[in-house]
Amino acid sequence: LDVTMGDYALLASGFPRRPGSEDVEAEIKRFFIQAFPDLRIIGVSVCWDYTDSQSKRWVQDRCERILQELDCEFDDIYGQGVRSRIEASATATAVGGRLSDDKVGRNCDP
């Protein structure tokens, strides 16, 4: 039996638009916990409308920050030399893709 999140999901709609700078997921989760105290609410995932340029930029910035954090974790585990060799190989074989020039040698200081 293959059990997935879809087996235990609830789709709720009609919420007012909110900026991504607010912790909307936590607020909605608190609402459902209060509304259904007998149920175990695991989490909430919000579908964001990021069609406007400000939202697109926020999503892009957030993704870049997360990728940098993952790069730093990778470097801590395997060493920066490994990632540099992987990226050099990817750059040499990439066709039509966009690879950021700032990935190699990132500053991972807190």
Side-chain angles (χ1 to χ4, degrees):
L1 180 66
D2 188 25
V3 178
T4 68
M5 285 179 36
D7 296 315
Y8 298 94
L10 167 74
L11 174 62
S13 62
F15 293 98
R17 288 178 167 252
R18 304 279 295 280
S21 58
E22 298 177 12
D23 193 359
V24 177
E25 288 89 349
E27 184 178 328
I28 293 172
K29 183 177 179 181
R30 280 192 302 273
F31 167 80
F32 281 110
I33 288 171
Q34 290 174 350
F36 303 101
D38 296 336
L39 297 179
R40 184 171 150 226
I41 308 299
I42 307 267
V44 169
S45 180
V46 173
C47 295
W48 293 99
D49 176 9
Y50 51 90
T51 55
D52 64 90
S53 62
Q54 182 180 3
S55 295
K56 283 181 183 178
R57 185 67 198 156
W58 179 87
V59 170
Q60 183 178 10
D61 289 346
R62 179 84 173 129
C63 289
E64 288 175 5
R65 261 184 271 131
I66 291 169
L67 286 173
Q68 178 162 354
E69 290 170 10
L70 291 172
D71 281 347
C72 292
E73 286 180 35
F74 184 92
D75 290 348
D76 288 345
I77 295 168
Y78 300 105
Q80 184 174 350
V82 173
R83 186 168 46 87
S84 297
R85 286 192 303 275
I86 292 170
E87 288 174 348
S89 174
T91 301
T93 59
V95 177
R98 185 179 84 76
L99 295 176
S100 175
D101 293 336
D102 66 342
K103 286 186 179 178
V104 177
R106 287 183 190 262
N107 181 5
C108 293
D109 296 331

